[in-house]
Amino acid sequence: MNSELVKQRTILEKRLAHLHRLAAQSRQRLRQMRESDQVREEQVVIWEQRQQDLLSQVTALEAVGLSEEPGFLAIKAQQLEAEWETHHRRVLQTATSVAGQRELKSCEQSCRALRHVLRQQEELRACEREMRELDHTKDQIMTLLKVGLANLGMWARDHYFGENYQACGWERLLPFFQLSGWVTATETEVRLDFSPFNHRGMGRDLQDLCRKVNTEGVHLPDGRRLALTVGQRLSACLGGPLANTG
C-alpha cells in the first residue's frame, strides 16, 4: 500500500465526515427555524386580527362618547396589549429571519467545502496506481556478500597487516585488494605475484605483508600453501585484478 496516499485518504475521510456533520446540523437548525418562523407568523396574524377587532370596538365607543366608561378602559387596555404582542412577535420573527439567513450561509459554506473534498477524493483515486511489492532477495544477497567481503578484509588486516593499518577502514585496504598481478597454482602451492605500488611507503607495506604471510605459513581451505611475492610492474593492459596463469 502507498502510505502517503493512505494518509491523504484518511485526512480527507475525516474532513468529509466533519463537513457532513456540520451540514446536517445546519439543515436541522434551518428546519427548526422555519417551523418557529411559521408558528410566529401564525401568532402575528392572530394578534393582528385581535388588535383590529379591539381597535374597532374602541373607535365605536369613542364615536358614541363612551370613552369614559369603565368598560372602555378595559377594551383599550386589551387593544394596547394586542398591539404590543403583535410588535413583539414581529421582532422575534425578524430575529429568526436574520439567524436563518446566517445559518443558511453557514450551510452553503459547508456544502461548498464538502464538494471540494469530494473532488479531492476523486482526484486522489484518479492518481492512485496499483503498487507491487518489490523482490529484495537479490539486494539482500548482495548486501550479505559485501558485508562478508568487508569482514574478510578486516580479518586480513588484523592478522597480516602492520600496526599502521590496525585502525584503518576498508577504503585504505582497497588498493591492496585491487592490485594487478599473476596467480600460479600447483598441486601444493598457490603463488600470488603482485605488481608493485608506485608509492614507496605502500610498497614497503606490501613487502611486509608478503613477508608475514610467507613466514606464518598460510594454507588455503584445500590444504595448499599460499605464497605472496612482489614482482615487476605489468603492462597497462593488465591493470585489473590478479590474472590466473594456469
Side-chain angles (χ1 to χ4, degrees), residues 42 47 54 98 118 148 171 226 232:
E42 294 174 355
W47 281 104
L54 292 171
V98 172
L118 289 174
E171 292 79 8
L226 178 65
Q232 300 296 323

Side-chain angles (χ1 to χ4, degrees), residues 2-56:
N2 190 323
S3 59
E4 185 62 28
L5 289 179
V6 171
K7 180 180 178 181
Q8 295 179 15
R9 189 185 304 114
T10 302
I11 294 174
L12 289 177
E13 288 175 353
K14 290 182 179 179
R15 177 67 174 162
L16 191 65
H18 177 66
L19 291 172
H20 271 303
R21 186 168 57 253
L22 289 181
Q25 292 172 353
S26 294
R27 286 191 289 269
Q28 178 65 23
R29 285 192 292 268
L30 282 172
R31 283 193 296 268
Q32 294 174 352
M33 288 178 180
R34 290 194 185 99
E35 293 173 358
S36 178
D37 188 65
Q38 185 176 1
V39 171
R40 284 171 180 162
E41 181 65 29
E42 294 174 355
Q43 292 176 349
V44 167
V45 172
I46 294 172
W47 281 104
E48 279 185 342
Q49 184 62 42
R50 180 176 174 79
Q51 178 189 358
Q52 291 297 326
D53 294 342
L54 292 171
L55 182 60
S56 298

Side-chain angles (χ1 to χ4, degrees), residues 26 46 79 115 127 142 145 157 189 191 206 215 242:
S26 294
I46 294 172
Q79 184 263 326
R115 290 192 295 270
C127 69
M142 290 301 297
L145 292 175
R157 177 200 67 183
E189 183 181 69
R191 180 177 296 275
L206 181 60
T215 301
L242 295 174

Side-chain angles (χ1 to χ4, degrees), residues 78-123:
Q78 293 176 7
Q79 184 263 326
L80 293 175
E81 180 186 5
E83 183 180 354
W84 185 89
E85 289 291 345
T86 301
H87 174 73
H88 177 64
R89 280 164 173 74
R90 285 196 179 280
V91 171
L92 292 178
Q93 190 178 17
T94 303
T96 302
S97 177
V98 172
Q101 292 295 327
R102 185 167 56 249
E103 193 64 42
L104 179 61
K105 185 177 180 180
S106 175
C107 184
E108 290 175 349
Q109 290 177 348
S110 297
C111 291
R112 282 196 299 269
L114 189 61
R115 290 192 295 270
H116 179 66
V117 173
L118 289 174
R119 285 195 298 270
Q120 286 181 318
Q121 283 187 326
E122 290 296 330
E123 293 172 357

Side-chain angles (χ1 to χ4, degrees), residues 212-234:
K212 188 170 185 180
V213 170
N214 296 333
T215 301
E216 293 187 4
V218 179
H219 290 78
L220 298 176
D222 60 2
R224 290 183 294 179
R225 183 175 181 276
L226 178 65
L228 305 183
T229 61
V230 180
Q232 300 296 323
R233 174 164 293 279
L234 302 177

Side-chain angles (χ1 to χ4, degrees), residues 59-169:
T59 303
L61 290 173
E62 288 178 343
V64 297
L66 298 178
S67 59
E68 298 299 330
E69 293 294 328
F72 172 82
L73 295 178
I75 296 173
K76 182 67 175 180
Q78 293 176 7
Q79 184 263 326
L80 293 175
E81 180 186 5
E83 183 180 354
W84 185 89
E85 289 291 345
T86 301
H87 174 73
H88 177 64
R89 280 164 173 74
R90 285 196 179 280
V91 171
L92 292 178
Q93 190 178 17
T94 303
T96 302
S97 177
V98 172
Q101 292 295 327
R102 185 167 56 249
E103 193 64 42
L104 179 61
K105 185 177 180 180
S106 175
C107 184
E108 290 175 349
Q109 290 177 348
S110 297
C111 291
R112 282 196 299 269
L114 189 61
R115 290 192 295 270
H116 179 66
V117 173
L118 289 174
R119 285 195 298 270
Q120 286 181 318
Q121 283 187 326
E122 290 296 330
E123 293 172 357
L124 192 63
R125 281 192 288 268
C127 69
E128 189 172 0
R129 297 291 183 270
E130 182 181 2
M131 297 186 67
R132 299 181 182 274
E133 185 177 2
L134 297 178
D135 185 4
H136 299 290
T137 304
K138 182 173 67 174
D139 296 335
Q140 293 173 356
I141 293 175
M142 290 301 297
T143 300
L144 291 175
L145 292 175
K146 290 178 181 178
V147 172
L149 183 60
N151 289 336
L152 179 60
M154 296 300 101
W155 180 86
R157 177 200 67 183
D158 296 338
H159 287 79
Y160 300 112
F161 280 81
E163 295 181 358
N164 295 334
Y165 291 85
Q166 293 306 306
C168 72

